[in-house]
Amino acid sequence: MPADTLVPRLWSEGITASAAEVVALTISQCSASPGWARSMLSAISRGAVAAGGPLTLSPTASRFDSAIFFLRYSAYLAGRSQTSAGIAGDNCVYTSKALEAGGWSRTAGFWEVEVNKLLAERGDSIAWVPEAEMEFGDGGSVTANTRRRFVHGRHFGASRRIDRGESSTRILLASPLVPMVLFGRAVRRAWPSKEYRRKLIAAAPAFAVLSAAWALGEAVGAIGGRSAHRS
């Protein structure tokens, strides 16, 4: 695929090419913990159609890497209880039967939030596997990540407008508050850990840049922008 292809589009291409009964998703910036596959497959053998685990931050991560981590993964920190259907696409597995249920397409990409919502509405079991950790390391360049946050935000804004029927005006008016809301969530989730608390504070300026890019993308999506397959 071209170098600027978004991850959800890469995932959909990989899923389409797979003939396995269970498909795993992650990104190159993540590394699996020992026993990761075994613990995920154990959850599938107990009846789950999908499973996901927590993400941890590499001790060598830069401030910008930390900002990416807390913006994207604060809901999936190790040690947190997971009672909703939320699992991160960067650390998950799905059965082929679950993937056949829909919620994604090869051309539009695999957006795990939409797929997980569909599975939950069907009553399918989505397992949270605390033992299946992924460690997030080098996130890449500032420019590339800022552009990705904008494009992902645009997809989300368009989804809110088209799929959920939310008012474009409401999304636009709320967009300036989005960075503060996102940072507040990250603080609430990371604060119990002294290490994460310190790293989140140090990463706050970079977090502001990335979350502002997301908020701008949401606003663009709300006024007629469409999701893109490339950043």
Side-chain angles (χ1 to χ4, degrees):
M1 303 294 288
D4 59 352
T5 305
L6 284 182
V7 167
R9 180 66 184 87
L10 297 175
W11 283 341
S12 68
E13 193 71 17
I15 291 169
T16 301
S18 175
E21 294 183 3
V22 179
V23 179
L25 303 179
T26 188
I27 57 175
S28 60
Q29 292 85 3
C30 289
S31 56
S33 59
W36 180 89
R38 182 168 54 252
S39 58
M40 285 292 203
L41 291 175
S42 177
I44 296 298
S45 70
R46 293 193 297 269
V49 302
L55 287 108
T56 62
L57 181 61
S58 169
T60 61
S62 68
R63 291 183 180 183
F64 187 74
D65 294 335
S66 298
I68 299 170
F69 174 82
F70 289 116
L71 177 61
R72 294 172 60 183
Y73 306 127
S74 68
Y76 312 105
L77 300 182
R80 286 181 55 83
S81 60
Q82 193 78 359
T83 57
S84 70
I87 56 175
D90 298 352
N91 182 15
C92 64
V93 301
Y94 292 86
T95 64
S96 57
K97 291 184 179 180
L99 294 171
E100 291 169 1
W104 67 282
S105 71
R106 181 175 184 175
T107 55
F110 183 92
W111 300 82
E112 77 276 13
V113 173
E114 298 165 7
V115 174
N116 295 342
K117 180 182 178 182
L118 175 64
L119 294 177
E121 290 173 349
R122 283 162 42 100
D124 292 329
S125 174
I126 302 177
W128 177 249
V129 187
E131 302 81 12
E133 291 187 1
M134 281 276 186
E135 183 181 89
F136 178 80
D138 182 4
S141 73
V142 174
T143 301
N145 277 283
T146 302
R147 291 181 64 193
R148 288 190 194 109
R149 290 307 96 206
F150 171 81
V151 175
H152 281 240
R154 188 175 68 186
H155 174 87
F156 183 65
S159 176
R160 290 177 64 183
R161 174 175 54 85
I162 298 170
D163 300 330
R164 305 182 190 182
E166 296 187 39
S167 165
S168 297
T169 302
R170 180 170 178 261
I171 298 172
L172 283 170
L173 292 175
S175 61
L177 302 176
V178 168
M180 290 182 284
V181 172
L182 294 175
F183 189 70
R185 289 176 181 172
V187 168
R188 184 173 69 253
R189 294 161 176 166
W191 207 254
S193 167
K194 290 183 178 180
E195 180 184 4
Y196 279 173
R197 188 187 314 168
R198 175 179 56 81
K199 290 185 175 182
L200 177 57
I201 293 172
F207 189 105
V209 171
L210 292 168
S211 57
W214 173 278
L216 179 60
E218 270 200 61
V220 171
I223 59 177
R226 296 180 178 178
S227 62
H229 301 153
R230 299 185 188 179
S231 56

